[in-house]
Amino acid sequence: MTLDAKIKKELGLVQVYTGNGKGKTTASLGLALRAMGTGLSVGMIQFMKHELEGGEYEMSKVLDNFTLISRGPKYLLDPNNLTEEDGKVAYEALETAKEMIYSEKYDLFIMDEINTATGWKLIDVKDVIEMLKNRPKNIEIVLTGRYAPDEIIEYADLVTEMRKIKHPFDKGVDARKGIEG
């Protein structure tokens, strides 16, 4: 068995990065970088984020084994004023994620901010769990975002909670390009 075959055979867990601290997307991108370094193919879909928001979008243009799709409005969603259109866009992102995962083109697949989308009830957590249960074997899945529902936490194999202790935002420092976005 080749090293690549051995690596791929060991894949198939579900990881969750959640909590109110910084670093959920960053951790998933670090994992993506590690995976690509071993020859694995990485797919990522961003829920509720516009493609022009982060440096990862620019990175995806130059990396052959990294595919990134962003599905979200150009404006920041307000959890107290969500619209039917916001839900429609979130479900379209879920369908795109499902197509990408089921294509079996990716060894690692990241669903960035899906926990927030389910936590805000834009997507029914039951639909996410069903997709995960029926996915092809040996695809590692990462779900990021605040508000991970209990059902996702229960289903996952690994759950890490990022907890904010201190953040520059508390002193009025806005998100900085290349660091927070």
Side-chain angles (χ1 to χ4, degrees):
M1 178 180 298
T2 67
L3 180 59
D4 286 346
K6 183 180 186 311
I7 291 170
K8 291 180 182 189
K9 184 179 179 185
E10 294 176 352
L11 298 176
L13 301 181
V14 174
Q15 301 185 28
V16 173
Y17 304 151
T18 193
N20 69 353
K22 178 190 178 322
K24 296 169 290 290
T25 299
T26 304
S28 72
L29 289 167
L31 181 61
L33 186 63
R34 177 177 284 164
M36 288 182 288
T38 61
L40 299 176
S41 178
V42 178
M44 180 175 188
I45 189 159
Q46 293 183 312
F47 290 75
M48 306 183 320
K49 289 183 178 178
H50 190 267
E51 65 187 23
L52 303 178
E53 284 186 1
E56 59 268 26
Y57 176 71
E58 293 301 320
M59 184 182 77
S60 73
K61 292 179 184 178
V62 297
L63 295 173
D64 292 334
N65 52 348
F66 182 68
T67 301
L68 170 64
I69 295 177
S70 297
R71 293 283 187 260
K74 291 183 181 180
Y75 56 88
L76 187 61
L77 292 179
D78 177 358
N80 298 313
N81 293 303
L82 297 171
T83 67
E84 190 174 309
E85 180 64 22
D86 296 330
K88 181 181 175 198
V89 170
Y91 261 99
E92 288 171 359
L94 184 64
E95 284 302 311
T96 300
K98 185 176 180 179
E99 289 170 15
M100 292 174 76
I101 290 167
Y102 286 33
S103 76
E104 300 189 51
K105 292 180 183 177
Y106 306 101
D107 303 303
L108 170 66
F109 195 83
I110 301 163
M111 291 187 280
D112 188 39
E113 297 296 347
I114 193 166
N115 295 331
T116 307
T118 56
W120 287 356
K121 309 292 188 226
L122 290 170
I123 298 173
D124 190 327
V125 68
K126 291 176 186 171
D127 294 333
V128 177
I129 297 287
E130 185 70 21
M131 179 189 66
L132 293 172
K133 285 182 177 178
N134 294 313
R135 76 186 187 282
K137 188 177 178 182
N138 300 110
I139 297 174
E140 195 85 3
I141 303 287
V142 177
L143 299 95
T144 75
R146 297 171 186 236
Y147 319 117
D150 291 340
E151 298 91 333
I152 294 288
I153 290 171
E154 179 66 29
Y155 184 80
D157 299 291
L158 178 149
V159 178
T160 298
E161 180 179 15
M162 275 69 164
R163 183 173 60 95
K164 182 182 94 161
I165 296 172
K166 186 176 182 180
H167 196 291
F169 184 77
D170 299 333
K171 294 181 182 179
V173 178
D174 288 335
R176 299 163 296 154
K177 285 286 183 196
I179 303 299
E180 286 86 21

